[in-house]
Amino acid sequence: GEGKRLVVIDGVGYPSVGSIVGCSSAEIALACRAPVLIVGKSGVGDAIDSFNLCAAFFERRGIPVVGAIFNKLAHTGLYSRDKCAEYVARYFAQVRQSQHAYGFIPTNDALAALGEEETCGFSFSHPNPQNLVIRVLPMDDAETAAVANVRDLFREYVDVGAVVADIQAALPAVERALMRDSTMNLITA
């Protein structure tokens, strides 16, 4: 990531995944000096409740959560993208004023078709047990199309400029959290 304006670090599942071995997403965020952007669920109540639960895990460690992008929203119906966006954005404006709902991405048939497979792992071979080297293979046509699809969805439905600006603004808070974490480790050692 050296020399890049932004590096995306993709978490796995809920923020506490890996806690049993002392390596949750919060520890990763601290180690990488990274503010957090949560990719949230669809809907209204579950989307907000899940955001609050996930954000609390990071916030307890002093790691700034800049907000969320909500994913896989229906195109039509009671829980359509437009209706959910209205209520979730209203919640953020009233209750989570220092955080933002940066976007609401609708379901996408092409990406949903890939959902049965682990799309995140397509380009990687399994580690070789002798030397534990992970080989990164070139993306195939399906992977390239999926990346282009995600890019297009972000361009249309996410305020990427605001995400980048808010993440940059949150960097000093991550440094403070890292200092507190280091101090606590010294005190308890």
Side-chain angles (χ1 to χ4, degrees), residues 63-136:
I63 301 164
V65 176
V66 297
I69 296 169
F70 295 91
N71 195 20
K72 299 180 184 176
L73 291 121
H75 291 276
T76 61
L78 181 61
Y79 290 103
S80 70
R81 180 195 156 304
D82 292 341
K83 289 178 184 175
C84 291
E86 176 187 345
Y87 289 106
V88 172
R90 186 181 308 165
Y91 172 83
F92 272 79
Q94 293 173 354
V95 180
R96 290 268 189 181
Q97 296 173 356
S98 64
Q99 295 161 323
H100 300 97
Y102 296 101
F104 300 86
I105 300 174
T107 57
N108 180 281
D109 292 338
L111 293 175
L114 298 174
E116 294 295 317
E117 303 174 39
E118 287 294 323
T119 56
C120 297
F122 278 155
S123 295
F124 296 94
S125 63
H126 291 286
N128 178 331
Q130 269 94 19
N131 58 18
L132 299 176
V133 172
I134 297 175
R135 293 181 306 124
V136 179

Side-chain angles (χ1 to χ4, degrees), residues 5-6 34-37 66 102 162-172 174:
R5 282 186 53 208
L6 179 70
V36 172
L37 171 68
V66 297
Y102 296 101
V163 171
V164 172
D166 289 351
I167 286 173
Q168 288 174 334
L171 290 174
V174 177

Side-chain angles (χ1 to χ4, degrees), residues 30-67:
L30 275 176
C32 295
R33 294 174 161 78
V36 172
L37 171 68
I38 292 173
V39 176
K41 295 182 173 191
S42 62
V44 177
D46 193 24
I48 290 169
D49 294 344
S50 295
F51 173 84
N52 285 330
L53 182 63
C54 292
F57 190 82
F58 291 107
E59 292 165 345
R60 182 174 173 269
R61 296 288 304 272
I63 301 164
V65 176
V66 297

